Amino acid sequence: MARVKKRWNQQDRPRTIAQMANAIAATVWKLAAGVVLNLENDNFETGSQAQRLETMEEVVCYLIHICDRSIHDRASAAERLEFITALARDLARMLEDSRVDVEGKGEYQQTFLNKFNHRSTAYSGYGFDPREGASFSMRCRLGNEVGMVMGERDRRWIPDYIVGREAPEIESALRRSMMGLTRFEAEVSKSAGRG
């Protein structure tokens, strides 16, 4: 499992939503790359750099959606929109940089954002618990999406692998990172009101 940042170096300093999104984008990127590496280390076949990036895109879409569901009760609607928009755009830029290196110039950011919006709409129909993570069905959907990208040879086995191993691990790592690196005004207001 990839090591992810769980706290700020200067913890007392307030962070903007864009700074929090940027830090979480680095976590999501690391986790998605780790899934691809784990798949290859466990003898699932990726045939090209482009296929690796497509696999990462599927995991990135999933993890952005998990971020959105995770902050639903902690952030105001405006904070949530700003955070998820900044997060998706940061990751779209990272993916575009990698795609340009592998495939040359193209409109990769918008293509990724369209995919994210489509996947997020699909994932929103599945259950999610802030402590337990995504439902079995949502994890199965991720497994199926990754299986479709990975190809015919491994398509049958990848969903089980994703559901049983990768999804719980990446969700757990992301949850730790989110708890340490994000704090929203709505969350602060709610906790102040309880005191």
Side-chain angles (χ1 to χ4, degrees), residues 101-118:
D101 289 345
V102 171
E103 299 175 62
K105 294 269 185 213
E107 294 296 319
Y108 303 112
Q109 284 190 45
Q110 192 56 54
T111 301
F112 168 74
L113 292 171
N114 292 341
K115 179 187 279 188
F116 164 67
N117 287 329
H118 179 73

Side-chain angles (χ1 to χ4, degrees), residues 27 35 56 126 164 190 193:
T27 295
V35 169
M56 280 186 68
Y126 297 105
K190 287 176 190 173

Side-chain angles (χ1 to χ4, degrees), residues 17-18 69 99 143 167 180 195:
I17 289 178
R69 300 283 286 266
R99 286 265 185 203

Side-chain angles (χ1 to χ4, degrees), residues 8-190:
W8 294 101
N9 292 337
Q10 297 172 340
Q11 294 183 25
D12 298 341
R13 223 173 75 199
R15 309 289 176 199
T16 66
I17 289 178
Q19 289 171 319
M20 291 186 288
N22 187 263
I24 297 301
T27 295
V28 168
W29 185 262
K30 261 187 177 177
L31 293 173
V35 169
V36 173
L37 184 62
N38 290 343
L39 284 163
E40 291 177 337
N41 287 341
D42 284 336
N43 295 318
F44 291 104
E45 188 175 273
T46 53
S48 67
Q49 283 295 94
Q51 190 179 37
R52 289 178 186 98
L53 287 171
E54 287 175 36
T55 303
M56 280 186 68
E57 280 185 6
E58 291 297 344
V59 177
V60 166
C61 288
Y62 179 80
L63 290 175
I64 296 172
H65 183 79
I66 294 296
C67 289
D68 189 24
R69 300 283 286 266
S70 297
I71 66 169
H72 183 268
D73 292 334
R74 297 173 44 212
S76 69
E79 289 171 327
R80 195 171 144 220
L81 177 63
E82 183 181 350
F83 178 79
I84 295 303
T85 300
L87 179 61
R89 286 190 177 144
D90 280 350
L91 286 157
R93 279 190 294 274
M94 290 181 205
L95 285 160
E96 180 172 71
D97 288 346
S98 295
R99 286 265 185 203
V100 167
D101 289 345
V102 171
E103 299 175 62
K105 294 269 185 213
E107 294 296 319
Y108 303 112
Q109 284 190 45
Q110 192 56 54
T111 301
F112 168 74
L113 292 171
N114 292 341
K115 179 187 279 188
F116 164 67
N117 287 329
H118 179 73
R119 294 290 185 267
S120 194
T121 299
Y123 287 133
S124 67
Y126 297 105
F128 179 84
D129 181 277
R131 287 182 298 279
E132 301 297 321
S135 66
F136 178 78
S137 299
M138 190 189 305
R139 291 174 179 171
C140 286
R141 176 68 186 255
L142 171 64
N144 288 334
E145 297 296 349
V146 170
M148 295 302 287
V149 170
M150 291 288 289
E152 198 64 43
R153 188 194 105 176
D154 297 321
R155 188 171 293 150
R156 181 174 173 193
W157 311 110
I158 286 176
D160 290 341
Y161 178 86
I162 294 293
V163 169
R165 178 176 169 186
E166 293 299 325
E169 287 185 15
I170 61 176
E171 287 176 40
S172 177
L174 181 61
R175 187 178 313 114
R176 288 190 304 272
S177 191
M178 290 282 292
M179 292 308 293
L181 297 174
T182 62
R183 187 127 176 114
F184 299 95
E185 291 299 319
E187 177 182 23
V188 173
S189 299
K190 287 176 190 173

